[in-house]
Amino acid sequence: MFSLNSMQPRQILTQVLNFALILSTAFMLWKGLSVATDSPSPIVVVLSGSMEPAFQRGDILLLWNRGMETQIGEVVVYNVKGKDIPIVHRVVRRFGGGDKVLKLLTKGDNNLADDTELYARGQAYLDRSKDVIGSVVGYIPFVGYVTILLSEHPWLKTVMLGLMGLMVVIQRE
């Protein structure tokens, strides 16, 4: 049987540094993608069924935030002031644009009413430059269910991190 005591300090340090390299590489890729897309969150997971049938719960959405002239029918992801969870809905009305501030009204495809109830108190429309994280340019179906499971069952996160840490420690090169 393998034990941590049988490893030399140099081997342990190598494993820890490999793990740190993996984490820093993932962070750099995320930040690079954020810069390329001009979005603080270039990839999001659909958490509810409000956009069915266009997007299902668990779909991963790829965002782009370089074009500010959002059109009616475009699917956008936005944050509401005071809430941390991004919302994925379709633009149903737009006001302004050009020299004026572009304001948007959104609605989920599977919802009966528009999103005015979801917006911050006193807010009737979204400000395209301040509230919108990005427009959806692509998606990967159902891959985001892992994220949903980890957020709905916190113990899974602990188990997964423990297994990953154990694999790093016992892996030999």
Side-chain angles (χ1 to χ4, degrees):
M1 174 144 170
F2 177 78
S3 73
L4 193 59
N5 293 336
S6 66
M7 290 181 76
Q8 299 294 323
R10 189 176 198 154
Q11 289 176 313
I12 294 172
L13 181 62
T14 301
Q15 297 302 329
V16 170
L17 288 175
N18 280 339
F19 188 64
L21 180 65
I22 290 168
L23 290 178
S24 63
T25 301
F27 178 74
M28 286 187 298
L29 285 172
W30 179 262
K31 284 300 178 186
L33 199 54
S34 293
V35 169
T37 61
D38 195 26
S39 176
S41 185
I43 299 172
V44 295
V45 176
V46 177
L47 299 175
S48 74
S50 68
M51 279 303 291
E52 290 180 358
F55 302 113
Q56 308 292 320
R57 189 169 190 253
D59 289 354
I60 288 184
L61 304 180
L62 309 171
L63 306 182
W64 187 259
N65 199 32
R66 294 234 174 244
M68 292 298 204
E69 283 299 317
T70 304
Q71 301 300 318
I72 293 174
E74 198 170 320
V75 178
V76 296
V77 178
Y78 64 91
N79 274 334
V80 175
K81 294 173 187 93
K83 297 180 184 174
D84 288 337
I85 298 173
I87 298 173
V88 180
H89 283 172
R90 191 176 304 278
V91 175
V92 292
R93 292 188 74 187
R94 60 176 266 155
F95 306 93
D99 294 341
K100 297 180 183 177
V101 174
L102 179 58
K103 298 204 176 272
L104 307 171
L105 179 64
T106 56
K107 176 186 172 296
D109 289 355
N110 203 21
N111 294 349
L112 297 175
D114 61 38
D115 291 350
T116 51
E117 293 294 321
L118 297 176
Y119 301 158
R121 172 173 269 158
Q123 184 179 15
Y125 304 101
L126 296 174
D127 182 332
R128 173 62 177 92
S129 61
K130 294 179 186 172
D131 299 322
V132 176
I133 298 171
S135 297
V136 177
V137 292
Y139 75 103
I140 305 169
F142 303 114
V143 176
Y145 255 108
V146 173
T147 305
I148 293 173
L149 287 174
L150 290 175
S151 64
E152 288 180 353
H153 305 288
W155 62 271
L156 274 176
K157 222 182 281 186
T158 307
V159 168
M160 208 165 128
L161 285 172
L163 286 173
M164 286 184 349
L166 183 65
M167 295 304 290
V168 165
V169 170
I170 64 172
Q171 176 188 359
R172 286 186 174 223
E173 291 184 14

